[in-house]
Amino acid sequence: MNVFVTGASGWIGSALVKELRQAGHQVVGLARSDAAAAALTATGAQAQRGALEDLESLRRGAAAADGVVHLAYFHEFTQASIATRLRVLLGGGPRGIVSRFIAAAAETDRRAIETLGTALAGPDRPLVVAFGTMGLTPGHLATEGDAADPHSFGGPRSQSEATMLELASRGVRSAIIRIAPSVHGPGDHGFLKTLIDTARAKGVSAYVGDGANRWPAVRRPDAVHLFRLALEQAPAGARLHAVGEEGVPFRDIAESIGRHLHVPLVSIARDKAAAHFGWLGAIAATDNPTSSALTQERMGWHPTPPGILADLDEGHYFTTAK
């Protein structure tokens, strides 16, 4: 299969490119920069210069492919292009900059999915889209049958899931994979690394309230393998969960970080979370238990150890942090 991958040089994408090639697929990755293009070609994949806002580049990549995996997203303000920043900032004063950026990034994602899916219309040309479990209703064990919650932390992206389902009704073999907030493993520079950096900088490892809120987690190789299985096998409209552990208490994660860094473990009030954790404050307080039982049954996917706490105990997170 000739596969077009957005976000191909990212944490999950770079590993997925290697797995796809090892499975015999040809890969073309969307590359925003010369560095990203060079990283892709070094793996034996091809690079196509473009960006999420450049719908023509997405259309061209999808039209030439047998299938698409869409991983790219503007997770940070600094990742946005000048055009996206301007769309955000022109909406008003500084008070709403973050919320306007989140909304603009979500709309960019929705348009990208619509463009990719329209270009793929045809017999058995799959589109696999990344989402996050933080887009589900918090406080209960979420399953694959649950719809995205527009009022959740990841709520602005709920229209991306709706677009995927609408494409499925039009005959596109589209599927969505909801990824745990912690995709852990050596080299991780995501949420877990940010928590470690915060604890190192603040001199304490913190949790919110009693720390009983739960985070699901998954190993990077397991998440990558599920994306390949979905590309090859998932039926139209499938909602799958890249979750290896349903929910690890946030206090346990903070306790492990504190032990490894030799800093105190402390509780902070919910209204102090943003001041302590910065942009990660709302996520640090979220209870997001998520099941992958149906995904495992339907896809023959079986996540493997180590879990997130055992991975922390292996020490590589703290060696790289130095």
Side-chain angles (χ1 to χ4, degrees):
M1 188 185 298
N2 182 15
V3 185
F4 181 55
V5 180
T6 73
S9 59
W11 170 238
I12 295 175
S14 57
L16 177 61
V17 168
K18 293 177 182 177
E19 170 141 341
L20 290 173
R21 286 188 47 75
Q22 288 170 358
H25 300 295
Q26 301 300 310
V27 178
V28 177
L30 185 70
R32 176 181 290 274
S33 66
D34 290 341
L40 278 167
T41 55
T43 68
Q46 297 180 53
Q48 176 184 302
R49 290 301 301 269
L52 288 185
E53 311 96 313
D54 181 0
L55 299 184
E56 181 53 38
S57 71
L58 299 182
R59 188 176 295 111
R60 187 170 66 255
D66 301 312
V68 172
V69 178
H70 174 50
L71 291 166
Y73 194 78
F74 292 134
H75 291 287
E76 298 179 40
F77 188 81
T78 55
Q79 291 176 319
S81 70
I82 293 174
T84 300
R85 293 180 195 180
L86 287 174
R87 284 203 300 272
V88 173
L89 294 171
L90 288 174
R95 186 172 198 166
I97 284 178
V98 173
S99 61
R100 287 196 300 278
F101 170 71
I102 291 172
E107 175 59 16
T108 296
D109 188 54
R110 188 202 64 77
R111 287 197 304 265
I113 294 168
E114 171 68 27
T115 300
L116 293 167
T118 300
L120 281 174
D124 199 31
R125 297 174 72 205
L127 169 63
V128 181
V129 175
F131 194 65
T133 63
M134 286 286 177
L136 299 169
T137 303
H140 78 108
L141 185 63
T143 73
E144 293 86 343
D146 292 335
D149 182 354
H151 304 294
S152 67
F153 176 81
R157 294 186 67 184
S158 61
Q159 287 303 309
S160 292
E161 181 167 310
T163 299
M164 182 279 295
L165 293 172
E166 198 274 331
L167 288 167
S169 72
R170 285 156 45 187
V172 179
R173 186 161 71 82
S174 54
I176 200 157
I177 296 182
R178 295 157 168 170
I179 312 171
S182 177
V183 182
H184 58 88
D188 176 13
H189 52 271
F191 290 171
L192 204 54
K193 174 65 161 54
T194 301
L195 290 175
I196 292 168
D197 288 346
T198 300
R200 189 182 292 278
K202 302 273 187 176
V204 298
S205 184
Y207 57 90
V208 180
D210 63 3
N213 61 295
R214 295 153 290 179
W215 269 21
V218 66
R219 291 176 63 246
R220 182 195 193 194
D222 291 330
V224 165
H225 186 55
L226 181 57
F227 272 93
R228 178 168 72 82
L229 290 177
L231 182 76
E232 296 171 347
Q233 306 173 19
R239 293 190 290 214
L240 305 172
H241 287 178
V243 171
E245 295 175 280
E246 290 186 350
V248 180
F250 193 88
R251 190 185 192 282
D252 291 354
I253 298 172
E255 194 269 337
S256 178
I257 292 171
R259 185 174 68 253
H260 283 279
L261 292 180
H262 307 291
V263 299
L265 178 68
V266 300
S267 169
I268 59 174
R270 182 176 290 268
D271 62 0
K272 304 295 184 184
H276 183 86
F277 292 106
W279 62 269
L280 199 56
I283 309 175
T286 298
D287 188 34
N288 183 226
T290 307
S291 170
S292 64
L294 292 176
T295 297
Q296 294 185 47
E297 177 185 343
R298 293 170 180 171
M299 302 302 296
W301 176 72
H302 303 292
T304 55
I308 188 172
L309 298 179
D311 204 2
L312 284 168
D313 283 343
E314 289 187 1
H316 58 83
Y317 274 97
F318 306 96
T319 300
T320 57
K322 293 176 185 178

PDB file of all heavy atoms in Angstrom, residues 114-150:
ATOM      1  N   GLU A 114     -11.529  16.624   6.247  1.00  0.00           N
ATOM      2  CA  GLU A 114     -12.500  16.694   5.152  1.00  0.00           C
ATOM      3  C   GLU A 114     -11.790  16.629   3.800  1.00  0.00           C
ATOM      4  O   GLU A 114     -12.217  15.913   2.885  1.00  0.00           O
ATOM      5  CB  GLU A 114     -13.307  17.988   5.259  1.00  0.00           C
ATOM      6  CG  GLU A 114     -14.204  18.290   4.073  1.00  0.00           C
ATOM      7  CD  GLU A 114     -15.371  17.327   3.941  1.00  0.00           C
ATOM      8  OE1 GLU A 114     -15.800  16.768   4.961  1.00  0.00           O
ATOM      9  OE2 GLU A 114     -15.853  17.131   2.801  1.00  0.00           O
ATOM     10  N   THR A 115     -10.687  17.349   3.674  1.00  0.00           N
ATOM     11  CA  THR A 115      -9.934  17.373   2.412  1.00  0.00           C
ATOM     12  C   THR A 115      -9.326  16.004   2.106  1.00  0.00           C
ATOM     13  O   THR A 115      -9.424  15.508   0.980  1.00  0.00           O
ATOM     14  CB  THR A 115      -8.825  18.433   2.487  1.00  0.00           C
ATOM     15  OG1 THR A 115      -9.406  19.722   2.708  1.00  0.00           O
ATOM     16  CG2 THR A 115      -8.008  18.464   1.207  1.00  0.00           C
ATOM     17  N   LEU A 116      -8.708  15.393   3.102  1.00  0.00           N
ATOM     18  CA  LEU A 116      -8.092  14.082   2.911  1.00  0.00           C
ATOM     19  C   LEU A 116      -9.139  13.034   2.545  1.00  0.00           C
ATOM     20  O   LEU A 116      -8.952  12.234   1.621  1.00  0.00           O
ATOM     21  CB  LEU A 116      -7.350  13.660   4.186  1.00  0.00           C
ATOM     22  CG  LEU A 116      -6.120  14.476   4.560  1.00  0.00           C
ATOM     23  CD1 LEU A 116      -5.681  14.167   5.995  1.00  0.00           C
ATOM     24  CD2 LEU A 116      -4.969  14.213   3.592  1.00  0.00           C
ATOM     25  N   GLY A 117     -10.260  13.041   3.263  1.00  0.00           N
ATOM     26  CA  GLY A 117     -11.304  12.056   3.009  1.00  0.00           C
ATOM     27  C   GLY A 117     -11.946  12.204   1.647  1.00  0.00           C
ATOM     28  O   GLY A 117     -12.219  11.207   0.963  1.00  0.00           O
ATOM     29  N   THR A 118     -12.173  13.437   1.231  1.00  0.00           N
ATOM     30  CA  THR A 118     -12.765  13.675  -0.085  1.00  0.00           C
ATOM     31  C   THR A 118     -11.844  13.182  -1.195  1.00  0.00           C
ATOM     32  O   THR A 118     -12.289  12.580  -2.176  1.00  0.00           O
ATOM     33  CB  THR A 118     -13.069  15.171  -0.262  1.00  0.00           C
ATOM     34  OG1 THR A 118     -13.988  15.587   0.758  1.00  0.00           O
ATOM     35  CG2 THR A 118     -13.684  15.446  -1.624  1.00  0.00           C
ATOM     36  N   ALA A 119     -10.541  13.408  -1.017  1.00  0.00           N
ATOM     37  CA  ALA A 119      -9.579  12.954  -2.025  1.00  0.00           C
ATOM     38  C   ALA A 119      -9.457  11.432  -2.063  1.00  0.00           C
ATOM     39  O   ALA A 119      -9.086  10.865  -3.089  1.00  0.00           O
ATOM     40  CB  ALA A 119      -8.207  13.571  -1.748  1.00  0.00           C
ATOM     41  N   LEU A 120      -9.796  10.765  -0.944  1.00  0.00           N
ATOM     42  CA  LEU A 120      -9.675   9.311  -0.871  1.00  0.00           C
ATOM     43  C   LEU A 120     -10.915   8.566  -1.357  1.00  0.00           C
ATOM     44  O   LEU A 120     -10.878   7.340  -1.450  1.00  0.00           O
ATOM     45  CB  LEU A 120      -9.403   8.874   0.580  1.00  0.00           C
ATOM     46  CG  LEU A 120      -7.983   9.017   1.101  1.00  0.00           C
ATOM     47  CD1 LEU A 120      -7.947   8.677   2.581  1.00  0.00           C
ATOM     48  CD2 LEU A 120      -7.025   8.126   0.328  1.00  0.00           C
ATOM     49  N   ALA A 121     -11.992   9.270  -1.602  1.00  0.00           N
ATOM     50  CA  ALA A 121     -13.257   8.614  -1.950  1.00  0.00           C
ATOM     51  C   ALA A 121     -13.021   7.563  -3.028  1.00  0.00           C
ATOM     52  O   ALA A 121     -12.471   7.845  -4.085  1.00  0.00           O
ATOM     53  CB  ALA A 121     -14.270   9.644  -2.418  1.00  0.00           C
ATOM     54  N   GLY A 122     -13.422   6.342  -2.725  1.00  0.00           N
ATOM     55  CA  GLY A 122     -13.202   5.247  -3.658  1.00  0.00           C
ATOM     56  C   GLY A 122     -13.178   3.935  -2.901  1.00  0.00           C
ATOM     57  O   GLY A 122     -13.286   3.906  -1.674  1.00  0.00           O
ATOM     58  N   PRO A 123     -13.013   2.834  -3.583  1.00  0.00           N
ATOM     59  CA  PRO A 123     -13.076   1.525  -2.936  1.00  0.00           C
ATOM     60  C   PRO A 123     -11.872   1.245  -2.042  1.00  0.00           C
ATOM     61  O   PRO A 123     -10.731   1.262  -2.488  1.00  0.00           O
ATOM     62  CB  PRO A 123     -13.119   0.548  -4.125  1.00  0.00           C
ATOM     63  CG  PRO A 123     -12.447   1.295  -5.252  1.00  0.00           C
ATOM     64  CD  PRO A 123     -12.792   2.734  -5.037  1.00  0.00           C
ATOM     65  N   ASP A 124     -12.157   1.025  -0.757  1.00  0.00           N
ATOM     66  CA  ASP A 124     -11.170   0.564   0.216  1.00  0.00           C
ATOM     67  C   ASP A 124      -9.883   1.381   0.226  1.00  0.00           C
ATOM     68  O   ASP A 124      -8.776   0.841   0.151  1.00  0.00           O
ATOM     69  CB  ASP A 124     -10.847  -0.918  -0.021  1.00  0.00           C
ATOM     70  CG  ASP A 124     -10.194  -1.543   1.219  1.00  0.00           C
ATOM     71  OD1 ASP A 124     -10.511  -1.098   2.332  1.00  0.00           O
ATOM     72  OD2 ASP A 124      -9.356  -2.440   1.051  1.00  0.00           O
ATOM     73  N   ARG A 125     -10.034   2.698   0.314  1.00  0.00           N
ATOM     74  CA  ARG A 125      -8.867   3.572   0.490  1.00  0.00           C
ATOM     75  C   ARG A 125      -9.002   4.195   1.882  1.00  0.00           C
ATOM     76  O   ARG A 125      -9.730   5.164   2.073  1.00  0.00           O
ATOM     77  CB  ARG A 125      -8.806   4.640  -0.599  1.00  0.00           C
ATOM     78  CG  ARG A 125      -8.640   4.058  -1.998  1.00  0.00           C
ATOM     79  CD  ARG A 125      -8.720   5.147  -3.046  1.00  0.00           C
ATOM     80  NE  ARG A 125      -7.540   5.994  -3.037  1.00  0.00           N
ATOM     81  CZ  ARG A 125      -7.536   7.264  -3.481  1.00  0.00           C
ATOM     82  NH1 ARG A 125      -8.660   7.817  -3.917  1.00  0.00           N
ATOM     83  NH2 ARG A 125      -6.430   7.962  -3.494  1.00  0.00           N
ATOM     84  N   PRO A 126      -8.319   3.629   2.886  1.00  0.00           N
ATOM     85  CA  PRO A 126      -8.576   3.991   4.278  1.00  0.00           C
ATOM     86  C   PRO A 126      -8.021   5.354   4.681  1.00  0.00           C
ATOM     87  O   PRO A 126      -7.006   5.824   4.163  1.00  0.00           O
ATOM     88  CB  PRO A 126      -7.874   2.878   5.061  1.00  0.00           C
ATOM     89  CG  PRO A 126      -6.785   2.425   4.145  1.00  0.00           C
ATOM     90  CD  PRO A 126      -7.348   2.539   2.751  1.00  0.00           C
ATOM     91  N   LEU A 127      -8.704   5.963   5.650  1.00  0.00           N
ATOM     92  CA  LEU A 127      -8.256   7.181   6.314  1.00  0.00           C
ATOM     93  C   LEU A 127      -8.306   6.914   7.815  1.00  0.00           C
ATOM     94  O   LEU A 127      -9.371   6.642   8.364  1.00  0.00           O
ATOM     95  CB  LEU A 127      -9.161   8.366   5.972  1.00  0.00           C
ATOM     96  CG  LEU A 127      -8.965   9.641   6.805  1.00  0.00           C
ATOM     97  CD1 LEU A 127      -7.572  10.218   6.615  1.00  0.00           C
ATOM     98  CD2 LEU A 127     -10.044  10.682   6.467  1.00  0.00           C
ATOM     99  N   VAL A 128      -7.153   6.976   8.478  1.00  0.00           N
ATOM    100  CA  VAL A 128      -7.079   6.761   9.924  1.00  0.00           C
ATOM    101  C   VAL A 128      -6.674   8.082  10.573  1.00  0.00           C
ATOM    102  O   VAL A 128      -5.650   8.672  10.216  1.00  0.00           O
ATOM    103  CB  VAL A 128      -6.060   5.663  10.279  1.00  0.00           C
ATOM    104  CG1 VAL A 128      -6.020   5.450  11.788  1.00  0.00           C
ATOM    105  CG2 VAL A 128      -6.421   4.360   9.562  1.00  0.00           C
ATOM    106  N   VAL A 129      -7.499   8.540  11.508  1.00  0.00           N
ATOM    107  CA  VAL A 129      -7.346   9.864  12.110  1.00  0.00           C
ATOM    108  C   VAL A 129      -7.017   9.728  13.590  1.00  0.00           C
ATOM    109  O   VAL A 129      -7.642   8.936  14.309  1.00  0.00           O
ATOM    110  CB  VAL A 129      -8.643  10.680  11.933  1.00  0.00           C
ATOM    111  CG1 VAL A 129      -8.546  12.018  12.648  1.00  0.00           C
ATOM    112  CG2 VAL A 129      -8.950  10.886  10.456  1.00  0.00           C
ATOM    113  N   ALA A 130      -6.051  10.505  14.069  1.00  0.00           N
ATOM    114  CA  ALA A 130      -5.696  10.519  15.488  1.00  0.00           C
ATOM    115  C   ALA A 130      -6.586  11.482  16.256  1.00  0.00           C
ATOM    116  O   ALA A 130      -6.898  12.578  15.787  1.00  0.00           O
ATOM    117  CB  ALA A 130      -4.236  10.919  15.653  1.00  0.00           C
ATOM    118  N   PHE A 131      -6.992  11.071  17.430  1.00  0.00           N
ATOM    119  CA  PHE A 131      -7.780  11.886  18.351  1.00  0.00           C
ATOM    120  C   PHE A 131      -7.172  11.658  19.732  1.00  0.00           C
ATOM    121  O   PHE A 131      -6.153  10.991  19.865  1.00  0.00           O
ATOM    122  CB  PHE A 131      -9.253  11.465  18.283  1.00  0.00           C
ATOM    123  CG  PHE A 131     -10.235  12.418  18.909  1.00  0.00           C
ATOM    124  CD1 PHE A 131     -10.419  13.686  18.381  1.00  0.00           C
ATOM    125  CD2 PHE A 131     -10.978  12.040  20.014  1.00  0.00           C
ATOM    126  CE1 PHE A 131     -11.338  14.572  18.947  1.00  0.00           C
ATOM    127  CE2 PHE A 131     -11.902  12.911  20.584  1.00  0.00           C
ATOM    128  CZ  PHE A 131     -12.077  14.171  20.052  1.00  0.00           C
ATOM    129  N   GLY A 132      -7.752  12.185  20.777  1.00  0.00           N
ATOM    130  CA  GLY A 132      -7.233  11.974  22.124  1.00  0.00           C
ATOM    131  C   GLY A 132      -8.328  11.512  23.064  1.00  0.00           C
ATOM    132  O   GLY A 132      -9.479  11.936  22.930  1.00  0.00           O
ATOM    133  N   THR A 133      -7.985  10.669  24.029  1.00  0.00           N
ATOM    134  CA  THR A 133      -8.996  10.237  24.996  1.00  0.00           C
ATOM    135  C   THR A 133      -9.465  11.400  25.864  1.00  0.00           C
ATOM    136  O   THR A 133     -10.545  11.330  26.461  1.00  0.00           O
ATOM    137  CB  THR A 133      -8.460   9.119  25.909  1.00  0.00           C
ATOM    138  OG1 THR A 133      -7.359   9.616  26.683  1.00  0.00           O
ATOM    139  CG2 THR A 133      -8.009   7.915  25.093  1.00  0.00           C
ATOM    140  N   MET A 134      -8.691  12.484  25.932  1.00  0.00           N
ATOM    141  CA  MET A 134      -9.118  13.660  26.692  1.00  0.00           C
ATOM    142  C   MET A 134     -10.313  14.361  26.037  1.00  0.00           C
ATOM    143  O   MET A 134     -10.873  15.293  26.601  1.00  0.00           O
ATOM    144  CB  MET A 134      -7.953  14.635  26.845  1.00  0.00           C
ATOM    145  CG  MET A 134      -6.906  14.198  27.846  1.00  0.00           C
ATOM    146  SD  MET A 134      -7.463  14.371  29.545  1.00  0.00           S
ATOM    147  CE  MET A 134      -6.053  13.703  30.437  1.00  0.00           C
ATOM    148  N   GLY A 135     -10.696  13.910  24.848  1.00  0.00           N
ATOM    149  CA  GLY A 135     -11.887  14.446  24.191  1.00  0.00           C
ATOM    150  C   GLY A 135     -13.157  13.710  24.584  1.00  0.00           C
ATOM    151  O   GLY A 135     -14.233  13.978  24.037  1.00  0.00           O
ATOM    152  N   LEU A 136     -13.048  12.762  25.549  1.00  0.00           N
ATOM    153  CA  LEU A 136     -14.201  12.012  26.024  1.00  0.00           C
ATOM    154  C   LEU A 136     -14.681  12.576  27.357  1.00  0.00           C
ATOM    155  O   LEU A 136     -13.958  13.300  28.042  1.00  0.00           O
ATOM    156  CB  LEU A 136     -13.831  10.538  26.170  1.00  0.00           C
ATOM    157  CG  LEU A 136     -13.389   9.861  24.867  1.00  0.00           C
ATOM    158  CD1 LEU A 136     -12.793   8.485  25.155  1.00  0.00           C
ATOM    159  CD2 LEU A 136     -14.563   9.745  23.901  1.00  0.00           C
ATOM    160  N   THR A 137     -15.916  12.242  27.737  1.00  0.00           N
ATOM    161  CA  THR A 137     -16.482  12.739  28.988  1.00  0.00           C
ATOM    162  C   THR A 137     -15.660  12.241  30.170  1.00  0.00           C
ATOM    163  O   THR A 137     -15.448  11.030  30.312  1.00  0.00           O
ATOM    164  CB  THR A 137     -17.932  12.271  29.141  1.00  0.00           C
ATOM    165  OG1 THR A 137     -18.692  12.721  28.014  1.00  0.00           O
ATOM    166  CG2 THR A 137     -18.558  12.824  30.415  1.00  0.00           C
ATOM    167  N   PRO A 138     -15.185  13.127  31.024  1.00  0.00           N
ATOM    168  CA  PRO A 138     -14.353  12.698  32.154  1.00  0.00           C
ATOM    169  C   PRO A 138     -15.186  12.068  33.272  1.00  0.00           C
ATOM    170  O   PRO A 138     -16.409  12.200  33.312  1.00  0.00           O
ATOM    171  CB  PRO A 138     -13.708  14.011  32.626  1.00  0.00           C
ATOM    172  CG  PRO A 138     -14.702  15.070  32.234  1.00  0.00           C
ATOM    173  CD  PRO A 138     -15.318  14.590  30.951  1.00  0.00           C
ATOM    174  N   GLY A 139     -14.480  11.350  34.154  1.00  0.00           N
ATOM    175  CA  GLY A 139     -15.114  10.880  35.378  1.00  0.00           C
ATOM    176  C   GLY A 139     -15.765   9.520  35.324  1.00  0.00           C
ATOM    177  O   GLY A 139     -16.305   9.065  36.329  1.00  0.00           O
ATOM    178  N   HIS A 140     -15.756   8.863  34.158  1.00  0.00           N
ATOM    179  CA  HIS A 140     -16.277   7.502  34.087  1.00  0.00           C
ATOM    180  C   HIS A 140     -15.440   6.738  33.076  1.00  0.00           C
ATOM    181  O   HIS A 140     -14.718   7.320  32.275  1.00  0.00           O
ATOM    182  CB  HIS A 140     -17.757   7.493  33.674  1.00  0.00           C
ATOM    183  CG  HIS A 140     -17.970   7.707  32.209  1.00  0.00           C
ATOM    184  ND1 HIS A 140     -18.370   6.713  31.369  1.00  0.00           N
ATOM    185  CD2 HIS A 140     -17.814   8.808  31.424  1.00  0.00           C
ATOM    186  CE1 HIS A 140     -18.463   7.185  30.127  1.00  0.00           C
ATOM    187  NE2 HIS A 140     -18.141   8.442  30.142  1.00  0.00           N
ATOM    188  N   LEU A 141     -15.526   5.396  33.125  1.00  0.00           N
ATOM    189  CA  LEU A 141     -14.720   4.579  32.223  1.00  0.00           C
ATOM    190  C   LEU A 141     -15.276   4.688  30.809  1.00  0.00           C
ATOM    191  O   LEU A 141     -16.328   4.124  30.492  1.00  0.00           O
ATOM    192  CB  LEU A 141     -14.708   3.123  32.685  1.00  0.00           C
ATOM    193  CG  LEU A 141     -13.798   2.183  31.882  1.00  0.00           C
ATOM    194  CD1 LEU A 141     -12.333   2.603  32.017  1.00  0.00           C
ATOM    195  CD2 LEU A 141     -13.990   0.739  32.321  1.00  0.00           C
ATOM    196  N   ALA A 142     -14.568   5.407  29.951  1.00  0.00           N
ATOM    197  CA  ALA A 142     -15.024   5.627  28.583  1.00  0.00           C
ATOM    198  C   ALA A 142     -14.747   4.393  27.736  1.00  0.00           C
ATOM    199  O   ALA A 142     -13.729   3.724  27.902  1.00  0.00           O
ATOM    200  CB  ALA A 142     -14.323   6.844  27.987  1.00  0.00           C
ATOM    201  N   THR A 143     -15.645   4.116  26.801  1.00  0.00           N
ATOM    202  CA  THR A 143     -15.463   3.006  25.878  1.00  0.00           C
ATOM    203  C   THR A 143     -15.511   3.520  24.446  1.00  0.00           C
ATOM    204  O   THR A 143     -15.822   4.688  24.183  1.00  0.00           O
ATOM    205  CB  THR A 143     -16.561   1.939  26.061  1.00  0.00           C
ATOM    206  OG1 THR A 143     -17.801   2.439  25.533  1.00  0.00           O
ATOM    207  CG2 THR A 143     -16.737   1.569  27.522  1.00  0.00           C
ATOM    208  N   GLU A 144     -15.233   2.598  23.522  1.00  0.00           N
ATOM    209  CA  GLU A 144     -15.242   2.951  22.106  1.00  0.00           C
ATOM    210  C   GLU A 144     -16.623   3.374  21.634  1.00  0.00           C
ATOM    211  O   GLU A 144     -16.761   4.048  20.611  1.00  0.00           O
ATOM    212  CB  GLU A 144     -14.742   1.758  21.282  1.00  0.00           C
ATOM    213  CG  GLU A 144     -13.280   1.420  21.486  1.00  0.00           C
ATOM    214  CD  GLU A 144     -13.022   0.495  22.668  1.00  0.00           C
ATOM    215  OE1 GLU A 144     -13.925   0.348  23.538  1.00  0.00           O
ATOM    216  OE2 GLU A 144     -11.929  -0.081  22.737  1.00  0.00           O
ATOM    217  N   GLY A 145     -17.656   2.987  22.368  1.00  0.00           N
ATOM    218  CA  GLY A 145     -19.010   3.377  21.986  1.00  0.00           C
ATOM    219  C   GLY A 145     -19.379   4.795  22.359  1.00  0.00           C
ATOM    220  O   GLY A 145     -20.397   5.321  21.895  1.00  0.00           O
ATOM    221  N   ASP A 146     -18.557   5.451  23.186  1.00  0.00           N
ATOM    222  CA  ASP A 146     -18.848   6.821  23.609  1.00  0.00           C
ATOM    223  C   ASP A 146     -18.484   7.818  22.516  1.00  0.00           C
ATOM    224  O   ASP A 146     -17.418   7.707  21.892  1.00  0.00           O
ATOM    225  CB  ASP A 146     -18.063   7.172  24.870  1.00  0.00           C
ATOM    226  CG  ASP A 146     -18.532   6.400  26.089  1.00  0.00           C
ATOM    227  OD1 ASP A 146     -19.702   5.978  26.099  1.00  0.00           O
ATOM    228  OD2 ASP A 146     -17.731   6.212  27.018  1.00  0.00           O
ATOM    229  N   ALA A 147     -19.353   8.779  22.306  1.00  0.00           N
ATOM    230  CA  ALA A 147     -19.069   9.851  21.351  1.00  0.00           C
ATOM    231  C   ALA A 147     -18.138  10.876  21.988  1.00  0.00           C
ATOM    232  O   ALA A 147     -18.045  10.985  23.215  1.00  0.00           O
ATOM    233  CB  ALA A 147     -20.360  10.523  20.915  1.00  0.00           C
ATOM    234  N   ALA A 148     -17.432  11.613  21.162  1.00  0.00           N
ATOM    235  CA  ALA A 148     -16.609  12.717  21.654  1.00  0.00           C
ATOM    236  C   ALA A 148     -17.493  13.730  22.367  1.00  0.00           C
ATOM    237  O   ALA A 148     -18.628  13.986  21.962  1.00  0.00           O
ATOM    238  CB  ALA A 148     -15.870  13.379  20.499  1.00  0.00           C
ATOM    239  N   ASP A 149     -16.971  14.293  23.448  1.00  0.00           N
ATOM    240  CA  ASP A 149     -17.726  15.238  24.279  1.00  0.00           C
ATOM    241  C   ASP A 149     -17.265  16.656  23.977  1.00  0.00           C
ATOM    242  O   ASP A 149     -16.125  17.018  24.288  1.00  0.00           O
ATOM    243  CB  ASP A 149     -17.496  14.902  25.748  1.00  0.00           C
ATOM    244  CG  ASP A 149     -18.283  15.794  26.693  1.00  0.00           C
ATOM    245  OD1 ASP A 149     -18.928  16.746  26.226  1.00  0.00           O
ATOM    246  OD2 ASP A 149     -18.237  15.529  27.916  1.00  0.00           O
ATOM    247  N   PRO A 150     -18.126  17.488  23.391  1.00  0.00           N
ATOM    248  CA  PRO A 150     -17.705  18.862  23.061  1.00  0.00           C
ATOM    249  C   PRO A 150     -17.392  19.710  24.281  1.00  0.00           C
ATOM    250  O   PRO A 150     -16.784  20.774  24.157  1.00  0.00           O
ATOM    251  CB  PRO A 150     -18.899  19.413  22.283  1.00  0.00           C
ATOM    252  CG  PRO A 150     -20.055  18.565  22.675  1.00  0.00           C
ATOM    253  CD  PRO A 150     -19.504  17.208  22.960  1.00  0.00           C
TER     254      PRO A 150
END
